Every structure is written in structure tokens, then in C-alpha cells.
Amino acid sequence: MKTQVAIIGAGPAGLLLSHLLDQQGVESVVLERASRPHVEGRLRAGVLEQGTVRLMRQVGVHDRLDREGLIHQGVKLAFNGRVERIDFVRQTNTPITVYGQTKVTADLIEARLARGGRIEFEAPVKAIKNYLEGRPRLVFDQQGQGRELICDFVAGCDGQHGQARRSIEGQGVQLFEKSTPFGWLGLLAEVPPVDKELIYANHPRGFALCSMRSPTRSRYYLQCPITDRVEQWSDAAFWDELRRRLPPAIAERVVTGPRLEMSIAPLRSSVVEPLRFGRLFLAGDAAHIVPPTGAKGLNLAASDAYYLSRALAAFYADRRTDLMDRYSQTCLRRVWGAIRFSWWYTQVLHKFDDDPFSQRLQSAELLYLTGSEAARTAFAENYVGLPFEPFE
Ligand SMILES: Cc1cc2nc3c(=O)[nH]c(=O)nc-3n(C[C@H](O)[C@H](O)[C@H](O)COP(=O)(O)OP(=O)(O)OC[C@H]3O[C@@H](n4cnc5c(N)ncnc54)[C@H](O)[C@@H]3O)c2cc1C
């Protein structure tokens, strides 16, 4: 098999990249380890920045997004028994869109296949060869057979545990990492959300988040020790703890129901530098992980795909290599901006220790954030997404 760009991974980064390349006349093949139902069923992010929505429109995959995406004009913060709202549209003239990652990936896959694109499911990449010099070759398995894909460039969009990240070990990679001793216990239920907007709650017992996937489907999260196991948590224990961490007026409106899913996600920041190794480029979670607090993971995957598509398209159109040379530094500026925001927001909302000094600091920070026009604007700018840099 031969192609111009071999994309490893059919997550948001790889799928969006294949669409963006196609639009610019560049051929690609996506190799995905898992089956199509598995990829489409993976429950993860749910908040789309305006830039991500624009990219979905640009590639013409927006019919269902327009119909079912929930436009949110603001977000609520609950702390010290009060509830404050930050209005994104007032502060930045930009809303966010709540639309589940399961729908994003399903829509991108359906459209790609309908347009004749190639996505090979159940085709795990085992090795990436010749990416530093010569023509890269991907060695992958399919139906028990070893196969090869020869290409000009490789886009490693295969997440944090993928082959791309493994392949660059020992290549002078710098790894920047920070983790927390807690995670998020998430519960999905077919019940109406407690509010029209997301509610982020800072509470002495720990953080809670009220979120949703649709007007009838809610996603709630609780800060929990990273050592907790899902089996330790009954539905009743989850709902009780959630109510305890919310202001009473909100807690009494929570509609409970049996879990459709429950899982624990770690909170971790991790960045690999650089993002380019010869003819191999990293994008999305393969390059960086952000704690979910700022809802940035999926959105960074989308902006990486945008920058990489532009760089590769410029090469095929005009033999330009300068955009590829700048890919790493251009992406990393936006990535570190998102890491800064996500880490700060994580620190302000979560319980790190029992020290009353830390609690007073968090209170002061949240009062300043919600009380100052300048602070509200700075928060809104970051939450709705920093602008894409011109990349010409
Ligand atoms: C449990 C969980 C909860 C999350 N919650 C949120 C949230 O609330 N908000 C938010 O913004 N972000 C969240 N994220 C992060 C967000 O989902 C990711 O940032 C996003 O999926 C990144 O997209 P990606 O395409 O880079 O990687 P992925 O979506 O991970 O896709 C990578 C793909 O590569 C495939 N792959 C891996 N190895 C190979 C191989 N060797 N060969 C072929 N294919 C391979 C995988 O099967 C996968 O389909 C969450 C992540 C997790 C894990």
C-alpha cells in the first residue's frame, strides 16, 4: 500500500486531519487499531471551542452538529455557598458548543468513508520505519497478516499510548509532566441536566462538575482519590456525594438515575517536545495531555490537525518546507497556553490538601475571578479557546 500521508489513529486528530488534507488535494490513509464501533463508542470530551466548530464546518461535517449541538453562552461557578456566572458572549462575543466526542468521531468517520476516504479499522501499527530519512514505512497487522504502508509523511495521531510516541523514545525528546493525586469519577445517566449550563463546583469535600451531552443525558464528575476503583462506587453513593458538593438550591434539583457508564480519568499534564522527527509529526494526545478541567484535549487535537494539514498541503502545492519546519513551535505555543489555563483552573477548583491557607487562597482567587471584569474576560478568552495563529 502507498499513500502521501499515513495517519495513525482515527481519533479526532487523525480524522480531522484526513478531511483537511483531502480538501487541499492531499491523499491519506488512516490506520486505526480498534474497531469502528469501539472508536465511535468511546466516551470522552464534550465541549467544542468555536475554532473546532469552524473546522468541522470547513470540512463540511456539521449537519448533526448544527441540529444537536447545544450552544452555551456562559458557565457557572459554585463556591462558598454562592453561584456566579461568567458570560462568554458578553466578555468575548464567542459561545462554546456542547457536542459529545462520540458524535464528533462518528460524524467524521461517516463523512470520510462516504467521500471515498480510506480508514482501515482493526489495523494496529506495530512499527514506524525510515521516518528520519528515506521513505517512511508503517508496519501494521490486518486480519492476522503483517502488512506495510509506504508514504511520504507520517502523522502520529494515535494518542498517548500509541506507536508514534513509543517510536521517538531516545530521539532527544523532552518530556514535561505534572500529575495530581486525584482523578475524576464520571457518571453518565439518561436524566435531564440540573442546569442549562455547566456548573463547576469548588467544595471543601472536593471538586464536582455538572455537565451534559444532550437535553436528556447528563454527565457528572466528582474529584476522587486516584486510587479509587469504579467498583467501590454505587450509583447511590455517587449521587449523594454530588449533592453534598453542590449548593443546596442546585442539589435539590438534581435528577438521579441508573448509570449508563462510570469511569475514572486521571488528571495529568504532559507535553513532548519537539513535535516533529524527520518525516514523523505528532498531533493531539500523542503530543500532549491536558487535565480535562479546561476542556482542551479534543480542541488541541483539532488545532494540531489544522496546523499540520496546512504545512503538508503547502509542501505538496509549492514544495514549501518552512511551515513543516515551524509546525512544532506554532503548535506548542497554543498547547502551552492551554496547559497553563487548564493547570491554573485545576488548582483553583480542586482540593489538594486540608491546609486552610490553600482554601482561603482558592476563595480569594474565585472571588477575584468572578468579581473583576478583567479577570472574567481573561477566563472567557481562555475557555472559549485562544485564537489560531496565522500560519503563512
Ligand atoms: C477517559 C478520558 C476522558 C476525557 N475527557 C475529556 C473531557 O471531558 N474534555 C476534553 O476536552 N478532553 C477529554 N479527554 C481528552 C480527549 O478525549 C482527547 O484529548 C482526544 O481524544 C484527543 O484526540 P486524539 O485524536 O489526539 O487521540 P485519541 O482520541 O486517543 O485517538 C487516538 C486513536 O489512535 C488509535 N491508536 C492507538 N495506538 C494505535 C496503533 N498502534 N495503531 C493504530 N491506531 C492506534 C486509538 O485506538 C485511537 O482511536 C478525555 C480523555 C480520556 C482518555
Side-chain angles (χ1 to χ4, degrees), residues 8-14 31-34 39 42-47 101 123-126 157-163 166 184 213 221 263 265 283-286 292 295-299 301:
I8 317 176
L31 298 179
E32 165 58 50
R33 178 181 58 189
V39 173
R42 237 170 359 209
L43 198 70
R44 289 180 171 179
V47 172
Q101 183 167 335
V125 172
K126 298 292 184 188
C157 304
D158 48 348
Q160 55 177 319
H161 304 299
Q163 189 59 42
R166 265 199 299 281
W184 278 13
R213 290 293 180 265
Y221 295 98
S263 54
D285 275 16
K296 295 288 169 231
L298 167 61
N299 295 297

mmCIF file of all heavy atoms in Angstrom, residues 8-14 31-34 39 42-47 101 123-126 157-163 166 184 213 221 263 265 283-286 292 295-299 301, ligand 1:
data_model
loop_
_atom_site.group_PDB
_atom_site.id
_atom_site.type_symbol
_atom_site.label_atom_id
_atom_site.label_comp_id
_atom_site.label_asym_id
_atom_site.label_seq_id
_atom_site.Cartn_x
_atom_site.Cartn_y
_atom_site.Cartn_z
ATOM 1 N N ILE A 8 -1.812 7.661 11.662
ATOM 2 C CA ILE A 8 -2.032 6.583 12.639
ATOM 3 C C ILE A 8 -3.053 7.085 13.654
ATOM 4 O O ILE A 8 -2.805 8.067 14.357
ATOM 5 C CB ILE A 8 -0.743 6.194 13.383
ATOM 6 C CG1 ILE A 8 0.449 6.107 12.419
ATOM 7 C CG2 ILE A 8 -0.928 4.868 14.102
ATOM 8 C CD1 ILE A 8 1.765 5.824 13.128
ATOM 9 N N GLY A 9 -4.204 6.406 13.729
ATOM 10 C CA GLY A 9 -5.215 6.747 14.727
ATOM 11 C C GLY A 9 -6.418 7.460 14.140
ATOM 12 O O GLY A 9 -6.282 8.481 13.468
ATOM 13 N N ALA A 10 -7.617 6.903 14.410
ATOM 14 C CA ALA A 10 -8.869 7.521 13.946
ATOM 15 C C ALA A 10 -9.597 8.179 15.110
ATOM 16 O O ALA A 10 -10.796 8.002 15.302
ATOM 17 C CB ALA A 10 -9.748 6.478 13.269
ATOM 18 N N GLY A 11 -8.850 8.951 15.898
ATOM 19 C CA GLY A 11 -9.469 9.813 16.903
ATOM 20 C C GLY A 11 -9.758 11.152 16.243
ATOM 21 O O GLY A 11 -9.579 11.301 15.020
ATOM 22 N N PRO A 12 -10.155 12.145 17.025
ATOM 23 C CA PRO A 12 -10.458 13.457 16.431
ATOM 24 C C PRO A 12 -9.290 14.042 15.630
ATOM 25 O O PRO A 12 -9.505 14.592 14.544
ATOM 26 C CB PRO A 12 -10.767 14.332 17.651
ATOM 27 C CG PRO A 12 -11.186 13.374 18.710
ATOM 28 C CD PRO A 12 -10.453 12.099 18.464
ATOM 29 N N ALA A 13 -8.043 13.900 16.119
ATOM 30 C CA ALA A 13 -6.895 14.498 15.411
ATOM 31 C C ALA A 13 -6.724 13.860 14.039
ATOM 32 O O ALA A 13 -6.656 14.558 13.010
ATOM 33 C CB ALA A 13 -5.619 14.330 16.240
ATOM 34 N N GLY A 14 -6.660 12.518 13.994
ATOM 35 C CA GLY A 14 -6.416 11.823 12.741
ATOM 36 C C GLY A 14 -7.546 12.004 11.743
ATOM 37 O O GLY A 14 -7.311 12.211 10.545
ATOM 38 N N LEU A 31 -4.835 4.471 9.584
ATOM 39 C CA LEU A 31 -4.749 3.123 10.165
ATOM 40 C C LEU A 31 -5.177 3.208 11.626
ATOM 41 O O LEU A 31 -4.602 3.974 12.397
ATOM 42 C CB LEU A 31 -3.308 2.596 10.096
ATOM 43 C CG LEU A 31 -2.707 2.415 8.702
ATOM 44 C CD1 LEU A 31 -1.267 1.902 8.808
ATOM 45 C CD2 LEU A 31 -3.545 1.456 7.857
ATOM 46 N N GLU A 32 -6.199 2.454 11.988
ATOM 47 C CA GLU A 32 -6.743 2.523 13.340
ATOM 48 C C GLU A 32 -6.702 1.142 13.988
ATOM 49 O O GLU A 32 -7.178 0.166 13.404
ATOM 50 C CB GLU A 32 -8.180 3.066 13.286
ATOM 51 C CG GLU A 32 -9.019 2.868 14.542
ATOM 52 C CD GLU A 32 -8.419 3.494 15.809
ATOM 53 O OE1 GLU A 32 -8.037 4.675 15.771
ATOM 54 O OE2 GLU A 32 -8.342 2.782 16.841
ATOM 55 N N ARG A 33 -6.181 1.120 15.198
ATOM 56 C CA ARG A 33 -6.022 -0.152 15.926
ATOM 57 C C ARG A 33 -7.370 -0.816 16.257
ATOM 58 O O ARG A 33 -7.536 -2.017 16.123
ATOM 59 C CB ARG A 33 -5.279 0.148 17.233
ATOM 60 C CG ARG A 33 -5.067 -1.037 18.131
ATOM 61 C CD ARG A 33 -4.358 -0.640 19.401
ATOM 62 N NE ARG A 33 -5.112 0.399 20.126
ATOM 63 C CZ ARG A 33 -4.648 1.057 21.175
ATOM 64 N NH1 ARG A 33 -3.437 0.837 21.623
ATOM 65 N NH2 ARG A 33 -5.392 1.966 21.785
ATOM 66 N N ALA A 34 -8.349 0.012 16.688
ATOM 67 C CA ALA A 34 -9.611 -0.543 17.206
ATOM 68 C C ALA A 34 -10.652 -0.716 16.095
ATOM 69 O O ALA A 34 -10.452 -0.295 14.959
ATOM 70 C CB ALA A 34 -10.136 0.381 18.304
ATOM 71 N N VAL A 39 -14.315 2.746 18.411
ATOM 72 C CA VAL A 39 -13.886 4.147 18.285
ATOM 73 C C VAL A 39 -15.082 5.075 18.470
ATOM 74 O O VAL A 39 -15.002 6.085 19.172
ATOM 75 C CB VAL A 39 -13.240 4.382 16.892
ATOM 76 C CG1 VAL A 39 -12.952 5.860 16.671
ATOM 77 C CG2 VAL A 39 -11.946 3.583 16.763
ATOM 78 N N ARG A 42 -16.396 5.487 22.255
ATOM 79 C CA ARG A 42 -15.514 5.924 23.347
ATOM 80 C C ARG A 42 -15.971 7.269 23.900
ATOM 81 O O ARG A 42 -15.967 8.274 23.213
ATOM 82 C CB ARG A 42 -14.081 6.052 22.834
ATOM 83 C CG ARG A 42 -13.133 5.205 23.605
ATOM 84 C CD ARG A 42 -11.781 5.102 23.016
ATOM 85 N NE ARG A 42 -11.575 5.804 21.787
ATOM 86 C CZ ARG A 42 -10.708 5.442 20.856
ATOM 87 N NH1 ARG A 42 -9.959 4.398 21.033
ATOM 88 N NH2 ARG A 42 -10.572 6.138 19.761
ATOM 89 N N LEU A 43 -16.377 7.208 25.176
ATOM 90 C CA LEU A 43 -16.998 8.372 25.801
ATOM 91 C C LEU A 43 -15.918 9.265 26.399
ATOM 92 O O LEU A 43 -15.232 8.851 27.315
ATOM 93 C CB LEU A 43 -17.894 7.840 26.919
ATOM 94 C CG LEU A 43 -18.942 8.760 27.450
ATOM 95 C CD1 LEU A 43 -20.017 8.984 26.431
ATOM 96 C CD2 LEU A 43 -19.509 8.158 28.711
ATOM 97 N N ARG A 44 -15.771 10.449 25.878
ATOM 98 C CA ARG A 44 -14.708 11.306 26.418
ATOM 99 C C ARG A 44 -15.170 12.750 26.489
ATOM 100 O O ARG A 44 -16.065 13.069 27.236
ATOM 101 C CB ARG A 44 -13.453 11.171 25.575
ATOM 102 C CG ARG A 44 -12.771 9.817 25.756
ATOM 103 C CD ARG A 44 -11.557 9.730 24.907
ATOM 104 N NE ARG A 44 -10.758 8.547 25.186
ATOM 105 C CZ ARG A 44 -9.650 8.275 24.536
ATOM 106 N NH1 ARG A 44 -9.213 9.091 23.593
ATOM 107 N NH2 ARG A 44 -8.962 7.191 24.826
ATOM 108 N N ALA A 45 -14.570 13.617 25.661
ATOM 109 C CA ALA A 45 -14.812 15.060 25.781
ATOM 110 C C ALA A 45 -16.210 15.464 25.308
ATOM 111 O O ALA A 45 -16.891 14.685 24.649
ATOM 112 C CB ALA A 45 -13.759 15.800 24.968
ATOM 113 N N GLY A 46 -16.590 16.692 25.645
ATOM 114 C CA GLY A 46 -17.920 17.148 25.226
ATOM 115 C C GLY A 46 -18.035 18.628 24.918
ATOM 116 O O GLY A 46 -19.097 19.091 24.509
ATOM 117 N N VAL A 47 -16.944 19.390 25.123
ATOM 118 C CA VAL A 47 -17.033 20.843 24.905
ATOM 119 C C VAL A 47 -16.205 21.229 23.678
ATOM 120 O O VAL A 47 -14.996 20.982 23.640
ATOM 121 C CB VAL A 47 -16.517 21.621 26.143
ATOM 122 C CG1 VAL A 47 -16.424 23.115 25.849
ATOM 123 C CG2 VAL A 47 -17.411 21.375 27.347
ATOM 124 N N GLN A 101 -17.835 13.833 22.077
ATOM 125 C CA GLN A 101 -16.755 13.326 21.216
ATOM 126 C C GLN A 101 -17.207 12.102 20.429
ATOM 127 O O GLN A 101 -16.754 11.875 19.312
ATOM 128 C CB GLN A 101 -15.541 12.974 22.087
ATOM 129 C CG GLN A 101 -14.339 12.498 21.286
ATOM 130 C CD GLN A 101 -13.061 12.466 22.110
ATOM 131 O OE1 GLN A 101 -12.936 13.196 23.086
ATOM 132 N NE2 GLN A 101 -12.115 11.645 21.733
ATOM 133 N N ALA A 123 -6.474 -2.312 12.485
ATOM 134 C CA ALA A 123 -5.181 -2.371 11.783
ATOM 135 C C ALA A 123 -4.107 -1.686 12.640
ATOM 136 O O ALA A 123 -3.692 -0.559 12.360
ATOM 137 C CB ALA A 123 -5.308 -1.677 10.422
ATOM 138 N N PRO A 124 -3.692 -2.333 13.744
ATOM 139 C CA PRO A 124 -2.720 -1.700 14.644
ATOM 140 C C PRO A 124 -1.336 -1.557 14.003
ATOM 141 O O PRO A 124 -0.834 -2.513 13.414
ATOM 142 C CB PRO A 124 -2.664 -2.655 15.850
ATOM 143 C CG PRO A 124 -3.149 -3.966 15.334
ATOM 144 C CD PRO A 124 -4.117 -3.672 14.220
ATOM 145 N N VAL A 125 -0.768 -0.363 14.147
ATOM 146 C CA VAL A 125 0.585 -0.127 13.640
ATOM 147 C C VAL A 125 1.574 -0.681 14.654
ATOM 148 O O VAL A 125 1.498 -0.377 15.852
ATOM 149 C CB VAL A 125 0.817 1.388 13.413
ATOM 150 C CG1 VAL A 125 2.281 1.660 13.083
ATOM 151 C CG2 VAL A 125 -0.089 1.886 12.303
ATOM 152 N N LYS A 126 2.495 -1.499 14.172
ATOM 153 C CA LYS A 126 3.459 -2.152 15.057
ATOM 154 C C LYS A 126 4.817 -1.457 15.022
ATOM 155 O O LYS A 126 5.584 -1.560 15.977
ATOM 156 C CB LYS A 126 3.649 -3.625 14.644
ATOM 157 C CG LYS A 126 2.382 -4.442 14.739
ATOM 158 C CD LYS A 126 1.986 -4.587 16.190
ATOM 159 C CE LYS A 126 0.775 -5.471 16.361
ATOM 160 N NZ LYS A 126 0.269 -5.483 17.720
ATOM 161 N N CYS A 157 -1.163 10.299 15.199
ATOM 162 C CA CYS A 157 -2.362 10.811 15.894
ATOM 163 C C CYS A 157 -2.939 9.693 16.744
ATOM 164 O O CYS A 157 -4.159 9.552 16.862
ATOM 165 C CB CYS A 157 -3.411 11.265 14.877
ATOM 166 S SG CYS A 157 -2.819 12.495 13.720
ATOM 167 N N ASP A 158 -2.066 8.853 17.310
ATOM 168 C CA ASP A 158 -2.520 7.630 17.959
ATOM 169 C C ASP A 158 -2.502 7.696 19.479
ATOM 170 O O ASP A 158 -2.359 6.677 20.153
ATOM 171 C CB ASP A 158 -1.716 6.416 17.452
ATOM 172 C CG ASP A 158 -0.205 6.646 17.464
ATOM 173 O OD1 ASP A 158 0.221 7.803 17.650
ATOM 174 O OD2 ASP A 158 0.544 5.674 17.303
ATOM 175 N N GLY A 159 -2.672 8.894 20.011
ATOM 176 C CA GLY A 159 -2.881 9.022 21.452
ATOM 177 C C GLY A 159 -1.628 8.805 22.281
ATOM 178 O O GLY A 159 -0.544 8.534 21.759
ATOM 179 N N GLN A 160 -1.829 8.903 23.598
ATOM 180 C CA GLN A 160 -0.662 8.916 24.492
ATOM 181 C C GLN A 160 0.046 7.568 24.596
ATOM 182 O O GLN A 160 1.217 7.519 24.954
ATOM 183 C CB GLN A 160 -1.069 9.403 25.880
ATOM 184 C CG GLN A 160 -2.200 8.619 26.505
ATOM 185 C CD GLN A 160 -2.517 9.106 27.900
ATOM 186 O OE1 GLN A 160 -1.620 9.397 28.669
ATOM 187 N NE2 GLN A 160 -3.790 9.197 28.235
ATOM 188 N N HIS A 161 -0.671 6.473 24.318
ATOM 189 C CA HIS A 161 -0.032 5.155 24.428
ATOM 190 C C HIS A 161 0.236 4.543 23.057
ATOM 191 O O HIS A 161 0.401 3.330 22.928
ATOM 192 C CB HIS A 161 -0.919 4.201 25.245
ATOM 193 C CG HIS A 161 -1.244 4.732 26.608
ATOM 194 N ND1 HIS A 161 -0.276 4.998 27.546
ATOM 195 C CD2 HIS A 161 -2.425 5.087 27.171
ATOM 196 C CE1 HIS A 161 -0.842 5.474 28.638
ATOM 197 N NE2 HIS A 161 -2.150 5.544 28.436
ATOM 198 N N GLY A 162 0.262 5.368 22.033
ATOM 199 C CA GLY A 162 0.374 4.855 20.665
ATOM 200 C C GLY A 162 1.806 4.560 20.239
ATOM 201 O O GLY A 162 2.772 4.774 20.980
ATOM 202 N N GLN A 163 1.919 4.097 18.983
ATOM 203 C CA GLN A 163 3.212 3.699 18.440
ATOM 204 C C GLN A 163 4.097 4.908 18.147
ATOM 205 O O GLN A 163 5.322 4.840 18.260
ATOM 206 C CB GLN A 163 2.986 2.868 17.168
ATOM 207 C CG GLN A 163 4.215 2.210 16.605
ATOM 208 C CD GLN A 163 4.881 1.265 17.605
ATOM 209 O OE1 GLN A 163 4.217 0.506 18.316
ATOM 210 N NE2 GLN A 163 6.209 1.318 17.686
ATOM 211 N N ARG A 166 5.919 5.917 21.192
ATOM 212 C CA ARG A 166 6.923 4.899 21.534
ATOM 213 C C ARG A 166 8.128 4.997 20.598
ATOM 214 O O ARG A 166 9.268 4.831 21.015
ATOM 215 C CB ARG A 166 6.317 3.497 21.412
ATOM 216 C CG ARG A 166 5.789 2.956 22.725
ATOM 217 C CD ARG A 166 5.633 1.444 22.685
ATOM 218 N NE ARG A 166 4.691 1.001 21.679
ATOM 219 C CZ ARG A 166 3.370 1.021 21.810
ATOM 220 N NH1 ARG A 166 2.833 1.449 22.943
ATOM 221 N NH2 ARG A 166 2.578 0.616 20.846
ATOM 222 N N TRP A 184 -10.946 12.117 38.171
ATOM 223 C CA TRP A 184 -12.378 12.449 38.054
ATOM 224 C C TRP A 184 -13.160 11.153 37.902
ATOM 225 O O TRP A 184 -12.905 10.381 36.977
ATOM 226 C CB TRP A 184 -12.640 13.297 36.818
ATOM 227 C CG TRP A 184 -12.372 14.759 36.957
ATOM 228 C CD1 TRP A 184 -11.696 15.391 37.955
ATOM 229 C CD2 TRP A 184 -12.777 15.774 36.026
ATOM 230 N NE1 TRP A 184 -11.644 16.739 37.705
ATOM 231 C CE2 TRP A 184 -12.305 17.000 36.526
ATOM 232 C CE3 TRP A 184 -13.480 15.761 34.817
ATOM 233 C CZ2 TRP A 184 -12.520 18.208 35.864
ATOM 234 C CZ3 TRP A 184 -13.685 16.958 34.162
ATOM 235 C CH2 TRP A 184 -13.216 18.178 34.681
ATOM 236 N N ARG A 213 -24.613 15.920 27.859
ATOM 237 C CA ARG A 213 -24.349 15.560 26.466
ATOM 238 C C ARG A 213 -25.530 15.935 25.573
ATOM 239 O O ARG A 213 -25.380 16.071 24.372
ATOM 240 C CB ARG A 213 -24.063 14.056 26.344
ATOM 241 C CG ARG A 213 -22.724 13.643 26.941
ATOM 242 C CD ARG A 213 -21.547 14.219 26.144
ATOM 243 N NE ARG A 213 -20.263 13.825 26.717
ATOM 244 C CZ ARG A 213 -19.576 14.560 27.577
ATOM 245 N NH1 ARG A 213 -20.045 15.740 27.962
ATOM 246 N NH2 ARG A 213 -18.417 14.154 28.052
ATOM 247 N N TYR A 221 -19.312 14.711 37.266
ATOM 248 C CA TYR A 221 -17.974 14.270 37.703
ATOM 249 C C TYR A 221 -17.751 14.645 39.166
ATOM 250 O O TYR A 221 -18.211 15.702 39.627
ATOM 251 C CB TYR A 221 -16.880 14.973 36.896
ATOM 252 C CG TYR A 221 -16.837 14.643 35.421
ATOM 253 C CD1 TYR A 221 -17.436 15.491 34.488
ATOM 254 C CD2 TYR A 221 -16.178 13.504 34.961
ATOM 255 C CE1 TYR A 221 -17.383 15.206 33.122
ATOM 256 C CE2 TYR A 221 -16.116 13.220 33.605
ATOM 257 C CZ TYR A 221 -16.713 14.076 32.691
ATOM 258 O OH TYR A 221 -16.663 13.797 31.348
ATOM 259 N N SER A 263 -16.657 5.856 35.012
ATOM 260 C CA SER A 263 -15.216 5.614 34.814
ATOM 261 C C SER A 263 -14.418 6.643 35.605
ATOM 262 O O SER A 263 -14.958 7.678 36.020
ATOM 263 C CB SER A 263 -14.856 5.717 33.327
ATOM 264 O OG SER A 263 -15.298 6.948 32.818
ATOM 265 N N ALA A 265 -11.033 9.066 35.333
ATOM 266 C CA ALA A 265 -9.999 9.601 34.438
ATOM 267 C C ALA A 265 -8.947 10.323 35.273
ATOM 268 O O ALA A 265 -9.288 11.099 36.172
ATOM 269 C CB ALA A 265 -10.628 10.587 33.446
ATOM 270 N N ALA A 283 0.572 14.682 16.702
ATOM 271 C CA ALA A 283 -0.573 15.600 16.854
ATOM 272 C C ALA A 283 -1.548 15.047 17.884
ATOM 273 O O ALA A 283 -1.685 13.830 18.038
ATOM 274 C CB ALA A 283 -1.280 15.771 15.504
ATOM 275 N N GLY A 284 -2.247 15.942 18.576
ATOM 276 C CA GLY A 284 -3.255 15.535 19.563
ATOM 277 C C GLY A 284 -2.618 14.898 20.788
ATOM 278 O O GLY A 284 -1.499 15.241 21.194
ATOM 279 N N ASP A 285 -3.337 13.925 21.366
ATOM 280 C CA ASP A 285 -2.881 13.303 22.618
ATOM 281 C C ASP A 285 -1.530 12.600 22.479
ATOM 282 O O ASP A 285 -0.862 12.361 23.483
ATOM 283 C CB ASP A 285 -3.914 12.272 23.109
ATOM 284 C CG ASP A 285 -5.026 12.925 23.923
ATOM 285 O OD1 ASP A 285 -5.158 14.159 23.849
ATOM 286 O OD2 ASP A 285 -5.762 12.199 24.624
ATOM 287 N N ALA A 286 -1.129 12.262 21.275
ATOM 288 C CA ALA A 286 0.201 11.669 21.095
ATOM 289 C C ALA A 286 1.280 12.678 21.474
ATOM 290 O O ALA A 286 2.384 12.304 21.862
ATOM 291 C CB ALA A 286 0.390 11.235 19.638
ATOM 292 N N PRO A 292 -8.691 17.441 32.158
ATOM 293 C CA PRO A 292 -9.951 17.782 31.481
ATOM 294 C C PRO A 292 -10.636 19.045 32.005
ATOM 295 O O PRO A 292 -11.608 19.509 31.412
ATOM 296 C CB PRO A 292 -10.829 16.547 31.743
ATOM 297 C CG PRO A 292 -10.229 15.872 32.920
ATOM 298 C CD PRO A 292 -8.778 16.180 32.911
ATOM 299 N N ALA A 295 -11.329 21.578 29.484
ATOM 300 C CA ALA A 295 -11.982 21.034 28.271
ATOM 301 C C ALA A 295 -11.168 21.334 27.014
ATOM 302 O O ALA A 295 -11.688 21.797 26.004
ATOM 303 C CB ALA A 295 -13.404 21.590 28.141
ATOM 304 N N LYS A 296 -9.872 21.056 27.077
ATOM 305 C CA LYS A 296 -8.994 21.451 25.969
ATOM 306 C C LYS A 296 -8.464 20.295 25.110
ATOM 307 O O LYS A 296 -7.988 20.529 24.004
ATOM 308 C CB LYS A 296 -7.767 22.213 26.514
ATOM 309 C CG LYS A 296 -8.093 23.526 27.171
ATOM 310 C CD LYS A 296 -8.498 24.548 26.135
ATOM 311 C CE LYS A 296 -9.079 25.789 26.742
ATOM 312 N NZ LYS A 296 -10.360 26.183 26.188
ATOM 313 N N GLY A 297 -8.512 19.044 25.620
ATOM 314 C CA GLY A 297 -7.858 17.927 24.916
ATOM 315 C C GLY A 297 -8.307 17.784 23.468
ATOM 316 O O GLY A 297 -7.495 17.809 22.536
ATOM 317 N N LEU A 298 -9.583 17.652 23.267
ATOM 318 C CA LEU A 298 -10.136 17.479 21.926
ATOM 319 C C LEU A 298 -9.874 18.723 21.064
ATOM 320 O O LEU A 298 -9.590 18.622 19.861
ATOM 321 C CB LEU A 298 -11.643 17.213 22.064
ATOM 322 C CG LEU A 298 -12.507 17.287 20.831
ATOM 323 C CD1 LEU A 298 -12.079 16.279 19.800
ATOM 324 C CD2 LEU A 298 -13.960 17.045 21.201
ATOM 325 N N ASN A 299 -9.963 19.868 21.679
ATOM 326 C CA ASN A 299 -9.789 21.119 20.922
ATOM 327 C C ASN A 299 -8.340 21.323 20.470
ATOM 328 O O ASN A 299 -8.091 21.832 19.384
ATOM 329 C CB ASN A 299 -10.287 22.302 21.767
ATOM 330 C CG ASN A 299 -11.783 22.213 22.003
ATOM 331 O OD1 ASN A 299 -12.549 22.269 21.056
ATOM 332 N ND2 ASN A 299 -12.195 22.025 23.244
ATOM 333 N N ALA A 301 -6.361 18.800 19.841
ATOM 334 C CA ALA A 301 -6.210 17.806 18.766
ATOM 335 C C ALA A 301 -6.661 18.424 17.447
ATOM 336 O O ALA A 301 -6.029 18.246 16.400
ATOM 337 C CB ALA A 301 -7.030 16.553 19.087
HETATM 338 C C1 LIG B 1 -11.208 8.892 29.874
HETATM 339 C C2 LIG B 1 -10.970 10.204 29.158
HETATM 340 C C3 LIG B 1 -11.824 11.298 29.394
HETATM 341 C C4 LIG B 1 -11.613 12.520 28.736
HETATM 342 N N1 LIG B 1 -12.440 13.590 28.996
HETATM 343 C C5 LIG B 1 -12.231 14.759 28.341
HETATM 344 C C6 LIG B 1 -13.062 15.889 28.560
HETATM 345 O O1 LIG B 1 -14.001 15.842 29.359
HETATM 346 N N2 LIG B 1 -12.793 17.037 27.868
HETATM 347 C C7 LIG B 1 -11.740 17.119 26.955
HETATM 348 O O2 LIG B 1 -11.537 18.159 26.290
HETATM 349 N N3 LIG B 1 -10.953 16.078 26.751
HETATM 350 C C8 LIG B 1 -11.172 14.915 27.406
HETATM 351 N N4 LIG B 1 -10.362 13.876 27.173
HETATM 352 C C9 LIG B 1 -9.303 14.062 26.215
HETATM 353 C C10 LIG B 1 -9.787 13.918 24.786
HETATM 354 O O3 LIG B 1 -10.697 12.859 24.699
HETATM 355 C C11 LIG B 1 -8.556 13.702 23.935
HETATM 356 O O4 LIG B 1 -7.733 14.829 24.084
HETATM 357 C C12 LIG B 1 -8.869 13.461 22.474
HETATM 358 O O5 LIG B 1 -9.498 12.219 22.290
HETATM 359 C C13 LIG B 1 -7.569 13.513 21.666
HETATM 360 O O6 LIG B 1 -7.807 13.071 20.370
HETATM 361 P P1 LIG B 1 -6.670 12.304 19.581
HETATM 362 O O7 LIG B 1 -7.243 12.061 18.221
HETATM 363 O O8 LIG B 1 -5.398 13.010 19.707
HETATM 364 O O9 LIG B 1 -6.446 10.930 20.365
HETATM 365 P P2 LIG B 1 -7.419 9.714 20.649
HETATM 366 O O10 LIG B 1 -8.829 10.159 20.698
HETATM 367 O O11 LIG B 1 -6.866 8.997 21.822
HETATM 368 O O12 LIG B 1 -7.272 8.796 19.368
HETATM 369 C C14 LIG B 1 -6.123 8.030 19.131
HETATM 370 C C15 LIG B 1 -6.517 6.840 18.276
HETATM 371 O O13 LIG B 1 -5.336 6.104 17.929
HETATM 372 C C16 LIG B 1 -5.622 4.721 17.998
HETATM 373 N N5 LIG B 1 -4.341 4.003 18.171
HETATM 374 C C17 LIG B 1 -3.574 3.908 19.271
HETATM 375 N N6 LIG B 1 -2.476 3.168 19.032
HETATM 376 C C18 LIG B 1 -2.565 2.775 17.743
HETATM 377 C C19 LIG B 1 -1.734 1.992 16.905
HETATM 378 N N7 LIG B 1 -0.593 1.441 17.346
HETATM 379 N N8 LIG B 1 -2.111 1.795 15.626
HETATM 380 C C20 LIG B 1 -3.262 2.331 15.141
HETATM 381 N N9 LIG B 1 -4.093 3.093 15.904
HETATM 382 C C21 LIG B 1 -3.741 3.315 17.186
HETATM 383 C C22 LIG B 1 -6.559 4.607 19.178
HETATM 384 O O14 LIG B 1 -7.325 3.415 19.135
HETATM 385 C C23 LIG B 1 -7.418 5.862 18.997
HETATM 386 O O15 LIG B 1 -8.559 5.620 18.220
HETATM 387 C C24 LIG B 1 -10.532 12.648 27.819
HETATM 388 C C25 LIG B 1 -9.695 11.548 27.593
HETATM 389 C C26 LIG B 1 -9.889 10.339 28.242
HETATM 390 C C27 LIG B 1 -8.942 9.182 27.986
#
